[in-house]
Amino acid sequence: MQTVDVAGVAVGALDAGGWVDHLCACVSRGGAHHHVSLNAAKWVALRTDPELRRIVHSATSVAADGVGIVWAARLAGTPLPQRVPGADLAEALIRQGIVRSWRVGLLGARPPVLQRVVEQLSTAGADLVFAHHGYFHDAAAIADAIAGARPELLLVALGSPRAERFIGRHLARMQVPLVLGVGGTLDVWAGGARRAPRLAQRAGLEWAWRLALSPRARFQRALVDTVRFAAAIARGERVPMEPS
Ligand code: UDP
């Protein structure tokens, strides 16, 4: 896959359709693949978190989840085709999974949210072979249970960087052909959280929508991350290539 260097991270230069094809091919190939959705906050965390850095650098693919990543690529003179949010990919992959009869696993969210999503997806025809909420203590036992259920697609909705850490630490033991961290997507599907209107999404303003609706502490954190990201990019800073 052709990639673009976005301040030290190799980001795949595919449009939405290209990403779906690429990720379907991962499932067909088998093995264990981790797809990462990169936004400004994650990029900022990478600079100071060696484990997260190692996990993201060794992921099978990284897509530009946030508009900040697309801007940074454009600023560097190596534009990406478009922003491809993890939430959109998760939805497209669930559809593909239904058509292609994939075994699907879900990990994360609060129990009632997960329960609602399990009901919705089962009704839609998904073959759910594993589902567990995201408030567990024994991560190794969860990973073993996933390995035993043998999903072909696993969506991990633990928030970031919790999802990346879980995937990075347990991917080899789980042997799932395609694993994605999907943030708060299950909450959106269950109806407890809303995405920005399409118009705002297309204008690259989903982050502003999310900020406006978020609690004060999260608003402040996201604002700080966005400012840090913009300042670091303006200074030409990069994520180190070496894991530590
Ligand atoms: N979540 C979870 N386990 C946890 C923390 C969070 O399953 O220990 C879920 C949470 O219920 C939600 C998703 O992760 O469905 C994203 O949470 P949040 O929006 O807090 O993520 P963040 O802001 O940390 O990315």
Side-chain angles (χ1 to χ4, degrees):
M1 182 201 314
Q2 202 192 330
T3 60
V4 161
D5 179 310
V6 180
V9 184
V11 179
L14 295 174
D15 61 13
W19 273 115
V20 175
D21 291 346
H22 165 80
L23 295 173
C24 286
C26 288
V27 176
S28 304
R29 266 205 312 278
H33 300 100
H34 177 195
H35 173 80
V36 172
S37 296
L38 184 68
N39 60 20
K42 221 173 279 180
W43 186 92
V44 169
L46 284 177
R47 307 210 48 233
T48 53
D49 185 334
E51 186 190 20
L52 188 61
R53 207 149 66 218
R54 178 184 61 71
I55 291 167
V56 171
H57 281 323
S58 57
T60 310
S61 51
V62 180
D65 176 87
V67 72
I69 303 299
V70 173
W71 284 344
R74 197 180 305 150
L75 202 68
T78 48
L80 290 162
Q82 65 178 120
R83 170 186 175 225
V84 183
D88 291 356
L89 284 178
E91 194 177 323
L93 288 167
I94 285 289
R95 284 186 210 285
Q96 291 290 329
I98 291 170
V99 173
R100 298 169 187 239
S101 306
W102 290 343
R103 299 160 61 83
V104 175
L106 303 176
L107 175 64
R110 289 179 298 109
V113 169
L114 180 72
Q115 186 54 40
R116 231 170 300 149
V117 173
V118 165
E119 283 159 17
Q120 287 167 358
L121 295 187
S122 301
T123 305
D127 180 12
L128 288 178
V129 295
F130 178 88
H132 197 288
H133 62 76
Y135 297 84
F136 50 83
H137 297 295
D138 190 348
I142 293 282
D144 283 340
I146 292 170
R150 293 186 299 106
E152 293 160 288
L153 167 67
L154 176 68
L155 304 183
V156 181
L158 296 174
S160 184
R162 254 177 255 107
E164 285 81 10
R165 271 195 227 296
F166 177 85
I167 299 167
R169 289 176 187 170
H170 303 291
L171 185 62
R173 137 190 233 153
M174 295 190 296
Q175 283 300 307
V176 176
L178 179 59
V179 190
L180 276 83
V182 296
T185 297
L186 300 192
D187 298 86
V188 174
W189 288 351
R194 280 196 300 147
R195 287 194 68 188
R198 280 268 162 219
L199 202 64
Q201 285 184 40
R202 277 198 218 109
L205 291 174
E206 188 163 20
W207 59 274
W209 169 269
R210 235 184 258 140
L211 274 188
L213 291 186
S214 55
R216 197 181 167 85
R218 184 171 301 181
F219 178 90
Q220 287 172 346
R221 201 184 64 198
L223 205 60
V224 167
D225 281 344
T226 304
V227 170
R228 270 200 197 136
F229 176 73
I233 294 297
R235 284 195 298 267
E237 291 180 13
R238 298 170 55 76
V239 170
M241 281 314 285
E242 289 307 311
S244 52

